[in-house]
Amino acid sequence: AIQRTFSIIKPDATERNLTGAVNAVIEKAGLRIIGQRRIKMTREQAERFYDVHKERPFFGELVDFMTSGPVVVQVLEGENAVKAYRDVMGATNPTEAADGTIRKLFAKSIGENSVHGSDSEENAAIEIAQFFSLADIVG
Ligand code: CMP
């Protein structure tokens, strides 16, 4: 089925001017970018977005990193978009990511791993609503 998922191009990628290169991999995978905005996340936004990880030892580092520079938030649409995007992102740890995936191509480390993608359709809807109003998504 056609689904939507939520994506973030993270500060390590925007800092290296890789927005277009990441988008090229996304589009080549058959996903359409139907919403996109470049923002600087506030601490409040990052803490809310990563609330499920707040007890993890890396939470502080994660929030620091995600607020360290510009990010590009995106809505992607396509056939089985949630899984399709996770497949093309590759494993969280770039040393374990398959060839041709965004993280294998671009990620620097498990923390500075260039992109985020939703892990379920339910979370995709929650995450999209955190950063987009309906008028800014044009499918
Ligand atoms: P993301 O998909 O954005 O969701 C949670 C993030 O936590 C994950 O990507 C990683 O970038 C980050 N993360 C996971 N494990 C670690 C770790 N050991 N150290 C730092 N960051 C991590």
Side-chain angles (χ1 to χ4, degrees), residues 24-107:
V25 179
I26 289 171
E27 291 183 336
K28 204 155 185 238
L31 292 162
R32 308 183 74 86
I33 301 162
I34 61 169
Q36 178 168 260
R37 225 168 71 246
R38 180 169 159 115
I39 62 170
K40 183 106 184 301
M41 267 197 206
T42 64
R43 288 198 81 79
E44 291 67 31
Q45 277 178 311
E47 284 171 0
R48 180 165 161 236
F49 183 74
Y50 283 121
D51 190 62
V52 293
H53 297 304
K54 66 172 178 287
E55 305 303 332
R56 304 271 199 114
F58 56 81
F59 181 71
E61 191 186 317
L62 178 59
V63 171
D64 287 346
F65 170 58
M66 292 301 288
T67 56
S68 69
V71 301
V72 178
V73 291
Q74 303 176 307
V75 181
L76 310 181
E77 185 176 79
E79 189 65 31
N80 293 320
V82 171
K83 181 174 190 301
Y85 189 45
R86 289 185 76 82
D87 287 349
V88 79
M89 283 197 299
T92 305
N93 187 341
T95 65
E96 293 162 15
D99 284 349
T101 61
I102 293 168
R103 284 166 171 163
K104 176 72 170 201
L105 287 165
F106 304 124

Side-chain angles (χ1 to χ4, degrees), residues 1-4 77-81 121:
I2 298 291
Q3 285 181 340
R4 291 178 178 182
E77 185 176 79
E79 189 65 31
N80 293 320
E121 200 171 15

Side-chain angles (χ1 to χ4, degrees), residues 3-6 82-83 86 117-127:
Q3 285 181 340
R4 291 178 178 182
T5 193
F6 178 72
V82 171
K83 181 174 190 301
R86 289 185 76 82
S118 307
D119 63 5
S120 68
E121 200 171 15
E122 185 190 357
N123 282 334
I126 293 168
E127 293 174 1

